[in-house]
Amino acid sequence: MSLDEAFHDTIADTPTDLYRYYDVTGRLLYVGVSKSVMVRAAQHARTSSWWSDWVTMRRETFPTRDAALAAETRAIVEEEPAHNVIHNVQPLFGRR
């Protein structure tokens, strides 16, 4: 078993959060998943250009990481967050 497979098996059945960040107008800024939303928020605070624009964060918990990842993909495709790149079919300059 590879290291990647072992890692996936370790976290596959772990409850995982899907989170969405919104700005003051309600515009969706970013969608992501994490086992620890607070740890991930600290990373975003250091590295994400949109971080200073958010005012609301909503979180949903899924029973498995795979379920959260599938929901993340659907949310990015359907909701077109302004700062997600992967799965977002709208070019950056054409987003709402």
Side-chain angles (χ1 to χ4, degrees):
M1 178 182 300
S2 74
L3 188 56
D4 286 340
E5 290 169 326
F7 177 74
H8 181 269
D9 288 349
T10 300
I11 66 168
D13 292 331
T14 302
T16 303
D17 291 326
L18 169 73
Y19 57 88
R20 292 172 174 87
Y21 284 96
Y22 299 87
D23 71 10
V24 69
T25 67
R27 180 176 68 135
L28 180 59
L29 298 172
Y30 191 82
V31 175
V33 297
S34 182
K35 273 181 24 175
S36 175
V37 171
M38 298 311 293
V39 170
R40 187 65 178 116
Q43 293 168 339
H44 282 305
R46 289 190 306 274
T47 63
S48 300
S49 63
W50 53 265
W51 183 254
S52 62
D53 297 331
W54 80 273
V55 296
T56 303
M57 188 268 287
R58 293 197 179 110
R59 181 175 78 179
E60 292 178 72
T61 302
F62 289 82
T64 66
R65 182 163 183 82
D66 288 341
L69 290 169
E72 176 192 35
T73 299
R74 280 192 308 276
I76 293 169
V77 169
E78 294 172 6
E79 300 169 37
E80 299 175 357
H83 293 279
N84 283 87
V85 177
I86 297 175
H87 308 303
N88 203 329
V89 296
Q90 295 296 317
L92 189 58
F93 58 86
R95 296 189 192 149
R96 296 178 232 155

